[in-house]
């Protein structure tokens, strides 16, 4: 679970650095590589945690819920990014991504605080 939290922190920090780094192509491309790696890593780690936590029919149900939520994020993420770009052009997309990562980290900490 700490690795998933780490991916969220990397996404948050790199998205906040993006408006600054975009001025220098030599910095923006490595930052985008790190951002993409953390995003893909969060998906992979979340699936691993899902497989560790559930078995049998519960795993099938949890994977279906995971897929539905991923679809909701795939629909809502570009909408949030578009609103961010409309309001805070040209940096709104990066700030929308930071907002989403911050929301993820807030839910993560809330769940840890209310776990059993």
């Amino acid at each position: 679970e700490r690795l998933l939290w780490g991916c969220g922190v990397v996404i948050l920090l790199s998205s906040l650095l993006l408006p600054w780094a975009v001025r220098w192509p030599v910095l923006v491309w490595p930052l985008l590589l790190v951002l993409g790696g953390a995003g893909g890593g969060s998906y992979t780690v979340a699936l691993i945690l899902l497989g560790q936590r559930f078995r049998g029919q519960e795993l099938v149900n949890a994977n279906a819920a995971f897929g539905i939520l991923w679809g909701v994020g795939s629909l809502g993420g570009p909408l949030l990014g578009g609103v961010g770009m409309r309001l805070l052009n040209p940096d709104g997309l990066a700030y929308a991504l930071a907002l989403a990562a911050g929301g993820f980290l807030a839910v993560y900490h809330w769940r840890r605080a209310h776990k059993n």
Side-chain angles (χ1 to χ4, degrees), residues 25-52:
V26 72
L27 295 177
V28 75
W29 292 110
L31 183 64
L32 287 173
L33 184 68
V34 167
L35 179 62
S42 67
Y43 176 80
T44 304
V45 171
L47 277 179
I48 291 168
L49 291 172
L50 197 73
Q52 289 177 345

Side-chain angles (χ1 to χ4, degrees), residues 7-72:
C7 287
V9 169
V10 169
I11 293 168
L12 176 64
L13 295 177
S14 58
S15 61
L16 289 174
L17 287 173
L18 194 56
W20 171 80
V22 78
R23 295 178 183 96
W24 296 281
V26 72
L27 295 177
V28 75
W29 292 110
L31 183 64
L32 287 173
L33 184 68
V34 167
L35 179 62
S42 67
Y43 176 80
T44 304
V45 171
L47 277 179
I48 291 168
L49 291 172
L50 197 73
Q52 289 177 345
R53 186 167 294 162
F54 299 104
R55 295 280 180 252
Q57 186 61 41
E58 285 184 331
L59 179 59
V60 172
N61 294 339
N63 192 41
F66 189 90
I68 290 169
L69 289 175
W70 189 263
V72 168

